[in-house]
């Protein structure tokens, strides 16, 4: 019940149920995170605890220049701020893209060749664009390398 005093509304103190609920939630947040590690919605993993220094962006282009889905070539980004396998408890699909690393052209070429041979034998080739983002100097990040190369099913 509220009372009006000098045109102000005075709210009653919180009920025992509200206080008990708040204290229980806070206690569960602490105890369950420590005991079980990750148990939705509680987690002990701080975001970006692995402190990545660089990452890659990929494009896969068909012979006509159209973009193909990165997930079809296992080049999609699975990183959500937590190291893969920590946090939400969802196992992401496989990907060559690992936040914090930049595979060289030979590794990307071998990976895409395997995918072309196993899943897309009808494609004559794909063009891969790999953009590496990282520290440009001490104060900013940006593109530090961009590579474009063609991958055929025979690996050349």
């Amino acid at each position: 019940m509220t009372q009006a005093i000098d045109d102000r509304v005075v709210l009653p103190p919180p009920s025992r149920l509200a206080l008990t609920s708040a204290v229980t939630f806070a206690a569960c947040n602490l105890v369950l995170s420590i005991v079980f590690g990750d148990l939705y919605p509680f987690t002990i993993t701080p975001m970006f605890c692995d402190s990545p220094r660089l990452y890659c962006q990929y494009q896969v282009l068909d012979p006509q220049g159209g973009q193909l889905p990165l997930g079809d070539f296992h080049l999609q980004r699975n990183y959500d701020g937590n190291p893969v396998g920590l946090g939400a408890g969802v196992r992401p699909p496989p990907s060559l893209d690992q936040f914090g690393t930049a595979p060289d052209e030979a590794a990307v070429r071998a990976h895409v060749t395997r995918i072309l041979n196993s899943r897309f034998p009808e494609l004559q080739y794909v063009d891969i664009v790999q953009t590496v983002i990282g520290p440009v100097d001490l104060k900013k990040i940006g593109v530090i390398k961009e590579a474009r190369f063609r991958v055929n099913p025979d690996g050349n």
Side-chain angles (χ1 to χ4, degrees), residues 58-76 112 115-116 120 122-128:
Y58 292 97
Q59 285 184 301
V60 180
L61 306 170
D62 65 16
Q64 291 75 37
Q67 286 198 17
L68 297 170
L70 294 176
D72 289 353
F73 290 86
H74 302 282
L75 292 172
Q76 78 282 355
V112 173
I115 304 275
L116 278 174
F120 301 101
E122 72 281 359
L123 286 173
Q124 296 173 358
Y125 64 86
V126 292
D127 288 326
I128 304 295

Side-chain angles (χ1 to χ4, degrees), residues 32-33 35-40 42-45 85-89:
L32 293 176
S33 295
V35 173
F36 294 107
D38 286 322
L39 184 65
Y40 183 83
F42 309 106
T43 183
I44 59 171
T45 307
L86 295 177

Side-chain angles (χ1 to χ4, degrees), residues 123-138:
L123 286 173
Q124 296 173 358
Y125 64 86
V126 292
D127 288 326
I128 304 295
V129 179
Q130 179 192 44
T131 306
V132 181
I133 312 292
V136 174
D137 58 32
L138 293 174

Side-chain angles (χ1 to χ4, degrees), residues 70-133:
L70 294 176
D72 289 353
F73 290 86
H74 302 282
L75 292 172
Q76 78 282 355
R77 180 166 307 125
N78 294 325
Y79 191 77
D80 64 357
N82 289 318
V84 175
L86 295 177
V90 175
R91 185 178 303 264
S95 179
L96 181 68
D97 183 65
Q98 300 294 316
F99 215 73
T101 65
D104 63 7
E105 181 179 331
V108 175
R109 189 178 289 280
H111 173 80
V112 173
T113 298
R114 281 192 304 275
I115 304 275
L116 278 174
N117 286 322
S118 65
R119 298 187 61 201
F120 301 101
E122 72 281 359
L123 286 173
Q124 296 173 358
Y125 64 86
V126 292
D127 288 326
I128 304 295
V129 179
Q130 179 192 44
T131 306
V132 181
I133 312 292

